[in-house]
């Protein structure tokens, strides 16, 4: 009996406690479901916010990518244009340099020719100056020699400077004048 009573009491206890346990478990499960649903709503809100943020970031990145792509195309074109412009200027400068070098060579050759002509002219002028100096020296020397000779003749009373002896005879009187002159011989 005791066993039966115990079984009966256990059965009553289980029967009475089952609805409470079930109710408590159901309440607990409802609270857990509510908590999970709330958490799910929060997570879904975060996911939605992340999707919005992701979309905004993607749009921003897409815009930046397009801007950078257009800038890349622009700067690539500008680079190519500048490179071609600089290459053209470089080619023009090289051509100018070549032309200037040729002109310099021609001018150098012309200068050498002119320098040669100037040297020849200078040598000719020096030769003429030396010849003139020699002629002047010869003239001076000849004059000196002539002056010395005339002095010698005069001092020694030779030639035209000698004392003439008087002739006796015919022409002892005065000489007659002829023409305009006095009758004396002119020196040459």
């Amino acid at each position: 009996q005791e066993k039966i009573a115990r079984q009966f009491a256990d059965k009553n206890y289980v029967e009475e406690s089952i609805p409470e346990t079930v109710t408590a478990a159901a309440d607990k499960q409802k609270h857990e479901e509510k908590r999970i649903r709330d958490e799910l709503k929060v997570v879904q809100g975060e996911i939605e916010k992340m999707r919005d943020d992701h979309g905004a970031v993607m749009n921003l990145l897409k815009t930046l990518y397009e801007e950078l792509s257009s800038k890349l195309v622009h700067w690539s074109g500008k680079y190519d244009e500048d490179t071609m412009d600089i290459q053209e200027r470089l080619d023009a400068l090289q051509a100018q340099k070549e032309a200037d070098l040729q002109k310099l060579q021609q001018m150098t050759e012309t200068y050498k020719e002119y320098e040669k002509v100037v040297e020849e002219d200078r040598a000719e002028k020096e030769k003429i100056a030396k010849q003139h100096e020699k002629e002047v020296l010869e003239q001076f020397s000849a004059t000196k020699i002539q002056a010395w000779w005339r002095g010698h003749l005069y001092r020694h009373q030779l030639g035209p400077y000698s004392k003439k002896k008087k002739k006796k005879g015919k022409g002892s009187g005065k000489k007659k004048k002829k023409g305009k002159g006095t009758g004396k011989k002119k020196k040459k």
Side-chain angles (χ1 to χ4, degrees), residues 7-160:
Q7 282 181 351
F8 182 72
D10 281 344
K11 187 179 176 188
N12 276 344
Y13 174 75
V14 168
E15 284 177 8
E16 286 176 10
S17 69
I18 285 182
E20 287 176 12
T21 307
V22 168
T23 305
D27 285 343
K28 189 177 180 183
Q29 192 171 2
K30 281 182 187 177
H31 284 300
E32 188 65 27
E33 281 180 15
K34 187 179 179 199
R35 186 187 65 77
I36 289 176
R37 278 190 196 123
D38 290 342
E39 193 177 306
L40 180 63
K41 282 181 184 177
V42 169
V43 169
Q44 285 176 341
E46 288 178 1
I47 288 174
E48 192 61 36
K49 186 179 178 203
M50 284 183 172
R51 280 187 185 148
D52 290 344
D53 290 346
H54 177 70
V57 168
M58 285 301 291
N59 287 336
L60 178 66
L61 288 175
K62 191 174 187 180
T63 304
L64 288 174
Y65 177 76
E66 289 171 358
E67 286 177 13
L68 289 175
S69 293
S70 68
K71 284 183 179 180
L72 178 65
V73 168
H74 168 74
W75 286 110
S76 294
K78 180 117 174 90
Y79 170 78
D80 292 341
E81 184 180 309
D82 289 347
T83 303
M84 287 173 34
D85 184 44
I86 289 172
Q87 187 63 42
E88 288 173 1
R89 287 193 299 174
L90 180 63
D91 292 342
L93 287 173
Q94 287 176 340
Q96 183 65 37
K97 179 184 173 187
E98 288 296 322
D100 288 346
L101 284 175
Q102 289 177 353
K103 188 175 180 180
L104 177 65
Q105 288 176 346
Q106 289 174 351
M107 292 177 85
T108 302
E109 290 172 7
T110 304
Y111 174 77
K112 286 180 181 178
E113 290 173 10
Y114 286 163
E115 188 177 32
K116 186 177 178 182
V117 169
V118 167
E119 283 296 320
E120 289 172 358
D121 187 49
R122 185 178 295 137
E124 184 68 27
K125 284 182 180 180
E126 286 178 7
K127 184 178 176 183
I128 290 171
K130 285 182 181 180
Q131 181 67 29
H132 179 69
E133 190 177 309
K134 182 179 176 186
E135 288 173 1
V136 167
L137 183 62
E138 286 176 355
Q139 182 68 31
F140 181 74
S141 299
T143 304
K144 281 279 209 180
I145 292 171
Q146 288 174 359
W148 175 82
W149 180 249
R150 286 186 188 128
H152 179 75
L153 290 177
Y154 180 76
R155 283 188 299 277
H156 294 282
Q157 296 180 353
L158 300 173

